[in-house]
Amino acid sequence: MTADSSKTERYNARAAEPKWQKAWDEAGIYAAKNDDPRPKYYVLEMFPYPSGRIHMGHVRNYTMGDVVARFKSAMNMNVLHPMGWDAFGMPAENAAIDRKVHPKEWTYANIAAMKKQLQSMGLSLDWAREVATCDPSYYRHQQKMFLDFLKAGLVAREYRKVNWDPVDNTVLANEQVIDGRGWRSGALVEQRDLYQWVFKISDYSQELLEALDTLDRWPEKVRLMQKNWIGRSEGLLVRFMLDTATTPSGETELEIFTTRPDTLFGAKFMALAPDHPLATAAAAKNPKLAAFIEECKHLGTSQEAIDTAEKMGFDTGIRATHPFDPSWKLPVYVANFILMDYGTGAIFGCPAHDQRDLDFVNKYGLGNTPVVLPPGQDPATFVITDTAYDGTGTLFNSRFLDGMTIEQAKDEVARRLEKDTRGNRPVGARQVNYRLRDWGISRQRYWGCPIPIIHCDKCGVVPAPIESLPVKLPDDVTFDRPGNPLDHHPTWKNVKCPTCDGPARRETDTMDTFVDSSWYFARFTDPWNEKAPTTPAVANEWMPVDQYIGGIEHAILHLLYSRFFTRAMKKTGHIGMDEPFAGLFTQGMVVHETYRDQAGNWVEPANITIDGMGETRTAKLTTTGEPIEIGSIEKMSKSKKNTVDPDDIIASYGADTARWFMLSDSPPERDVIWTEEGVQGAWRFVQRLWRLVGEVADVTGPQSRPETFGPEAQKLRKAAHRALNNVSEDISRLRFNRCVAHLYEFANALSDSIGSAETAPTPDFAFALREAGDILVRLFQPMMPHLAEECWAALGHTGLVATVPWPQLEAALLVENTVTLPVQVNGKKRGEVTVARDAANPEIEAAVLALDEVKKALDGKSPKKVIVVPQRIVNVVA
RNA sequence: GCCCCUGUGGCGGAAUUGGUAGACGCGCCUGACUCAAAAUCAGGUACCGCAAGGUGUGCUGGUUCGAGUCCGGCCAGGGGCACCA
């Protein structure tokens, strides 16, 4: 056929994309109706923090969600695909300090800018449901739920450790602590206890753990991470009697929690958290101990800081008695690696079978006694020096436990200590412990949801009256000094006590921004309800989210908090289910090469030119030609300047190219490397599809379907339906990189067919070509919606392809009559046989043994065995 | 430190979930078109070897007729760690 593609104009994304975005908008096709009778599908991407500009991570995330939304829509489902803004948080306050902009102004300007960017991507979003968490129309409902949770017993107040900057007199986030010092002041950070509001997530530890098994459309990895985070362990509480002569004020006992009661006869020491009451009491009489505890407070509050710090301890002089031997005394230390939050804040140390304890005794010369003998070891020669043994074995050096397994010994110790009732209470009690701590939500910051509480000297803590909600953030705040602006505000916190009418003050802490993001998915179901956070009947229709998509970095905190919050909302009547997200997908990051100039400064990709390809690539500065060093591939970040601005890409290539490249190559759960060559490849494919569709449009053929199809037509139709089948399957399973590959294959097949067609193809072939063109456009529509519309119009259709149903699969076209089986001899491929699809095994065997390659490999001998795996492979065992 | 993940051509990756390793794309090579370039089109491209043939999925050992895939041990790279969102 004369492909007059030379005449075809290039596809002009810059002109086409806004045109179709306007057409979709005017047709209102992405507005979800709450009373649509079709089956619902709720697809949600994690909403962005309005930092000011979207980045490539957003492009990837929202493109994936959009493909799913458009696909489900083509499958005739009622799709909810909303977008909003996680708009409270620290960066807005930093901007206020650094640039003297009000957080509110900064945030809303950012939202406006980012919304425009998102709209240029051509996402099928229902913008009518947009919410911003910093808006009083959103956070008023959050305050209501806080009060509901309070009434339901889901809220408490507790002392919590925070990072305290003694120079700025302010609380620091972990990320604001750099090498143990405040990021602005440079002062040595110390731990300080603050009285804080917490949500009782730990009441749900067991439930949150068990329900993980029901989340079968979540990645195994995320479920495992949450399981470990909840950290259920079964152990024993043991009361050690103390030598009262050694205790500061006559304390008689110390309760510890252990998961290894079997190693009790290997005990060498006891250790207390630095803030354990017994440690505090002892420190009052021992200045050196007090100094040591003070030193421990300079350790950061992050788990990493605690674990990687050098293990240090201080002997309090207190002595404890071994529960099975009154004459066995153990020294009680204060140690910097014991946490008050976990168990009872005190442990006994068995160094032979715990690495941390072993490091500790080796440092303080306390020695160790192994009590678990690994299988096959000689008890007379088995010693522990630098490496603790935490494997299985049999008990030894342990009196009545000798010879038992670890499990038997744990049980025996528990059994004996439960019966021992010194002080009218059992010495030992079995206990299930969780690592999960209650969720501290108080933040000493301005830009967050105010906690609706009033403190009265007479009445204590009083909830703000419902009718006073929202407790609005005041606009007139200053950031000229460190600390919480709400605290410094001259009048805001002064209110009358709702109970006694006396003078009182507002809670000046605001809520953790994770609270804001723990229910936005429910708010999207009816964001117009002014009276309540949700309209339960509507929320219960839409929820749970069928497909949630976001970064793996949220695998634990955001997702676990949301699971808790949904349960709390159920308990307080705002929603009817336990789990918010039925399906979860965690996508990988967008990464890029890094570049440095001769002085070692990072350089943006936009400012350099790459010469050569493959291994000979060199880079130079576009402006001066200065050579640039090409560095490692890393997550796109401002600090390393290896970012590519989505706006630039959309301006030069169009949104469809950016979307297509994001979906290509890398599996969505893995990192994708952004490369200029890759983008250009995507762009070339956009142009190729446009030319191809142009060629199909030129084919003239019958409007009605022919009775029969010739072999050429049938070959193309098989390729089309194979692609249809594969793309449908892979979109459903979010394997977008495979969808892309299938579409390339199909485009290649269509291209070959057109190339082989005569100038005037037979009517059946012409029909097949046009049909294949239609299918192709409909298949790439979810990924490249603008190009699809343009192509759809070029093919002579009226109306929007975005509203056209997904093609119907003709399953018969997927079946082949013959199969080609690889033939192996001793596991090595030697040839292949083509047989009828339903050929019997003996028939296949005979064909295989007749092959020259097989005869040669067998060298005249007869095979020991022939393994025929139907429709797969044949293996001859010689 | 603890928990989790990943490792396949020059590169991103595919592999019907234990059955032909390298689909598809990028890059590169050759040719066509062009005064030339770009674009486009046709062909080639795991490695060693002229070939026959051999080798090959981070390393190492095992299970199996058969291992990229399952099991044990190691090595390397990455992510999370409760006040970043």
Side-chain angles (χ1 to χ4, degrees):
Chain A
M1 160 180 304
T2 54
D4 55 350
S5 58
S6 55
K7 272 193 268 167
T8 314
E9 277 179 37
R10 279 200 175 178
Y11 172 65
N12 184 347
R14 209 188 302 203
E17 292 184 351
K19 179 177 77 186
W20 294 113
Q21 285 159 18
K22 191 158 164 268
W24 297 325
D25 195 38
E26 282 168 1
I29 55 174
Y30 303 129
K33 289 196 205 79
N34 279 354
D35 54 1
D36 192 308
R38 295 175 299 171
K40 68 96 183 183
Y41 195 88
Y42 187 178
V43 53
L44 182 67
E45 301 96 58
M46 291 178 185
F47 67 164
Y49 178 78
S51 57
R53 307 203 51 81
I54 64 167
H55 52 67
M56 283 300 176
H58 294 128
V59 173
R60 193 177 194 201
N61 191 186
Y62 303 141
T63 299
M64 290 180 192
D66 200 46
V67 171
V68 174
R70 287 174 177 276
F71 174 67
K72 295 291 176 183
S73 180
M75 302 293 277
N76 197 33
M77 297 184 92
N78 183 31
V79 171
L80 175 57
H81 187 209
M83 182 54 71
W85 309 96
D86 190 11
F88 274 136
M90 250 184 354
E93 290 191 54
N94 291 333
I97 295 164
D98 298 339
R99 297 183 228 167
K100 313 261 183 274
V101 207
H102 193 281
K104 186 173 172 180
E105 211 179 293
W106 185 81
T107 302
Y108 279 100
N110 287 348
I111 288 175
M114 289 175 74
K115 184 173 177 180
K116 219 174 141 197
Q117 288 186 295
L118 289 184
Q119 285 171 331
S120 74
M121 283 180 62
L123 303 169
S124 62
L125 292 167
D126 182 359
W127 283 104
R129 294 172 188 254
E130 178 182 6
V131 299
T133 58
C134 65
D135 200 290
S137 68
Y138 181 85
Y139 69 67
R140 66 181 301 166
H141 302 297
Q142 191 164 308
Q143 291 174 336
K144 167 71 164 54
M145 285 194 283
F146 176 90
L147 297 177
D148 290 346
F149 291 3
L150 184 66
K151 214 180 281 174
L154 294 165
V155 181
R157 288 188 92 195
E158 277 176 15
Y159 278 106
R160 277 299 170 87
K161 276 193 199 53
V162 295
N163 300 304
W164 182 259
D165 185 320
V167 171
D168 277 354
N169 282 315
T170 187
V171 176
L172 298 176
N174 281 337
E175 74 158 15
Q176 296 173 320
V177 180
I178 293 151
D179 296 330
R181 290 174 184 277
W183 68 339
R184 284 188 208 275
S185 70
L188 219 47
V189 169
E190 47 195 64
Q191 290 179 4
R192 187 174 272 206
D193 281 314
L194 284 190
Y195 210 32
Q196 309 234 26
W197 292 100
V198 301
F199 284 150
K200 302 284 289 171
I201 189 172
S202 66
D203 287 358
Y204 291 83
S205 298
Q206 186 62 29
E207 202 189 315
L208 289 167
L209 179 68
E210 281 173 8
L212 284 173
D213 290 335
T214 67
L215 299 174
D216 54 353
R217 292 206 296 118
W218 278 42
E220 186 53 45
K221 175 181 166 178
V222 174
R223 288 192 284 168
L224 187 61
M225 282 165 84
Q226 292 213 352
K227 187 179 168 200
N228 289 331
W229 190 258
I230 294 168
R232 182 192 153 103
S233 58
E234 289 175 18
L236 199 64
L237 283 170
V238 184
R239 290 158 57 223
F240 279 68
M241 298 306 141
L242 297 176
D243 215 335
T244 47
T246 64
T247 55
S249 22
E251 289 86 347
T252 56
E253 60 181 61
L254 172 63
E255 191 167 45
I256 60 100
F257 175 75
T258 178
T259 58
R260 292 297 302 270
D262 54 305
T263 63
L264 211 40
F265 289 104
K268 288 292 166 189
F269 68 96
M270 315 283 295
L272 306 171
D275 45 348
H276 191 281
L278 185 58
T280 312
K285 301 197 170 164
N286 183 342
K288 280 188 183 163
L289 175 59
F292 174 77
I293 290 173
E294 201 49 44
E295 206 182 309
C296 290
K297 286 189 177 167
H298 285 300
L299 215 58
T301 55
S302 77
Q303 193 64 47
E304 188 193 4
I306 293 163
D307 286 346
T308 52
E310 192 186 348
K311 308 288 169 279
M312 287 196 294
F314 191 98
D315 186 355
T316 59
I318 301 170
R319 293 297 173 263
T321 307
H322 194 281
F324 289 121
D325 185 344
S327 66
W328 184 346
K329 303 293 179 192
L330 291 158
V332 178
Y333 278 72
V334 170
N336 63 354
F337 56 91
I338 308 298
L339 302 174
M340 196 58 214
D341 300 313
Y342 186 75
T344 61
I347 61 146
F348 83 83
C350 175
H353 305 292
D354 182 290
Q355 191 60 45
R356 209 171 44 179
D357 293 349
L358 184 64
D359 294 344
F360 189 81
V361 294
N362 285 346
K363 180 162 180 170
Y364 295 100
L366 299 172
N368 78 73
T369 306
V371 290
V372 177
L373 187 68
Q377 286 281 347
D378 178 358
T381 57
F382 181 65
V383 287
I384 296 282
T385 51
D386 293 326
T387 309
Y389 178 73
D390 59 4
T392 56
T394 24
L395 274 285
F396 73 128
N397 293 337
S398 294
R399 309 187 192 180
F400 54 83
L401 301 175
D402 285 354
M404 291 184 182
T405 65
I406 291 173
E407 283 315 308
Q408 287 166 340
K410 280 180 179 173
D411 201 59
E412 181 62 18
V413 168
R415 208 179 52 79
R416 288 189 186 225
L417 293 182
E418 276 168 341
K419 277 200 278 183
D420 184 345
T421 55
R422 260 168 288 182
N424 294 323
R425 245 175 1 111
V427 169
R430 292 178 215 245
Q431 199 191 45
V432 175
N433 228 332
Y434 300 89
R435 210 179 70 98
L436 180 66
R437 304 201 300 256
D438 282 331
W439 173 13
I441 61 154
S442 293
R443 297 292 181 273
Q444 296 68 44
R445 300 183 204 290
Y446 165 72
W447 197 233
C449 171
I451 296 174
I453 287 290
I454 291 162
H455 299 276
C456 171
D457 289 335
K458 256 199 272 173
C459 313
V461 168
V462 184
I466 300 286
E467 56 283 6
S468 72
L469 301 186
V471 176
K472 276 196 189 173
L473 284 173
D475 286 337
D476 54 334
V477 283
T478 53
F479 293 88
D480 48 8
R481 56 184 163 138
N484 183 354
L486 291 179
D487 243 354
H488 310 151
H489 194 281
T491 55
W492 182 78
K493 64 180 167 184
N494 300 323
V495 284
K496 279 187 181 168
C497 171
T499 324
C500 71
D501 220 26
R505 65 212 143 68
R506 282 193 193 287
E507 171 69 64
T508 56
D509 284 353
T510 53
M511 291 186 212
D512 179 5
T513 57
F514 274 123
V515 181
D516 312 341
S517 56
S518 289
W519 69 284
Y520 76 107
F521 41 85
R523 182 67 187 167
F524 279 138
T525 62
D526 187 1
W528 304 284
N529 187 338
E530 289 174 17
K531 298 214 168 63
T534 61
T535 308
V538 176
N540 295 343
E541 277 296 313
W542 283 114
M543 291 287 292
V545 173
D546 295 279
Q547 186 63 62
Y548 196 37
I549 308 177
I552 184 71
E553 67 274 19
H554 293 291
I556 298 175
L557 294 180
H558 163 59
L559 291 167
L560 193 59
Y561 289 151
S562 297
R563 296 180 61 215
F564 157 73
F565 212 89
T566 303
R567 285 168 168 79
M569 284 174 77
K570 184 184 178 193
K571 188 172 180 186
T572 50
H574 295 292
I575 207 162
M577 74 272 311
D578 290 327
E579 290 293 341
F581 313 120
L584 173 70
F585 188 84
T586 53
Q587 105 253 3
M589 297 182 299
V590 181
V591 296
H592 196 283
E593 264 180 344
T594 50
Y595 308 103
R596 282 183 200 254
D597 65 15
Q598 296 303 296
N601 302 310
W602 301 105
V603 184
E604 282 108 354
N607 292 338
I608 64 155
T609 308
I610 303 270
D611 293 324
M613 288 299 162
E615 286 157 65
T616 63
R617 296 169 77 237
T618 58
K620 61 178 198 266
L621 210 56
T622 306
T623 45
T624 64
E626 180 189 336
I628 293 291
E629 196 167 315
I630 301 176
S632 59
I633 295 170
E634 305 200 36
K635 178 179 180 174
M636 282 192 181
S637 74
K638 279 186 194 141
S639 62
K640 291 189 176 153
K641 294 194 177 173
N642 59 339
T643 56
V644 174
D645 193 322
D647 265 2
D648 295 345
I649 298 299
I650 291 173
S652 34
Y653 297 101
D656 285 335
T657 297
R659 293 168 60 119
W660 184 256
F661 176 62
M662 272 305 180
L663 299 168
S664 313
D665 292 355
S666 287
E669 68 279 9
R670 261 195 257 168
D671 292 352
V672 61
I673 305 175
W674 184 275
T675 62
E676 189 61 25
E677 294 89 340
V679 181
Q680 282 174 6
W683 185 78
R684 277 201 298 271
F685 186 60
V686 166
Q687 296 301 339
R688 204 178 138 214
L689 284 174
W690 177 240
R691 280 195 308 274
L692 189 57
V693 167
E695 289 170 28
V696 171
D698 289 342
V699 174
T700 45
Q703 289 303 306
S704 58
R705 186 191 163 94
E707 299 272 304
T708 54
F709 290 98
E712 281 172 312
Q714 202 60 0
K715 192 176 153 203
L716 178 60
R717 299 180 73 239
K718 280 185 178 180
H721 285 265
R722 220 179 302 123
L724 168 58
N725 189 49
N726 288 336
V727 170
S728 309
E729 166 83 10
D730 283 331
I731 292 183
S732 304
R733 297 171 66 172
L734 293 93
R735 299 194 294 204
F736 306 114
N737 56 321
R738 301 196 348 166
C739 293
V740 166
H742 297 312
L743 284 168
Y744 272 113
E745 272 174 314
F746 181 28
N748 290 342
L750 180 54
S751 198
D752 288 348
S753 279
I754 288 189
S756 71
E758 300 297 323
T759 318
T762 56
D764 67 308
F765 194 21
F767 185 89
L769 284 169
R770 296 194 60 107
E771 187 190 50
D774 277 8
I775 291 176
L776 177 65
V777 172
R778 285 191 279 168
L779 290 188
F780 72 70
Q781 183 270 130
M783 292 111 185
M784 296 191 284
H786 311 88
L787 176 67
E789 296 293 358
E790 200 73 17
C791 288
W792 195 244
L795 287 171
H797 298 287
T798 52
L800 297 167
V801 70
T803 60
V804 171
W806 201 242
Q808 277 289 321
L809 182 69
E810 287 179 43
L813 289 171
L814 301 178
V815 182
E816 296 290 343
N817 293 329
T818 59
V819 307
T820 300
L821 300 177
V823 176
Q824 296 182 331
V825 178
N826 290 335
K828 278 198 166 121
K829 192 194 164 190
R830 296 294 176 189
E832 41 188 43
V833 284
T834 300
V835 295
R837 202 170 63 86
D838 51 0
N841 283 4
E843 194 185 321
I844 297 170
E845 224 179 289
V848 164
L849 293 176
L851 284 178
D852 287 346
E853 297 95 325
V854 173
K855 282 186 191 151
K856 190 178 160 202
L858 284 176
D859 199 19
K861 286 176 244 140
S862 62
K864 285 204 192 101
K865 206 173 4 165
V866 179
I867 294 156
V868 178
V869 185
Q871 293 180 49
R872 281 281 159 74
I873 201 167
V874 182
N875 192 12
V876 179
V877 186

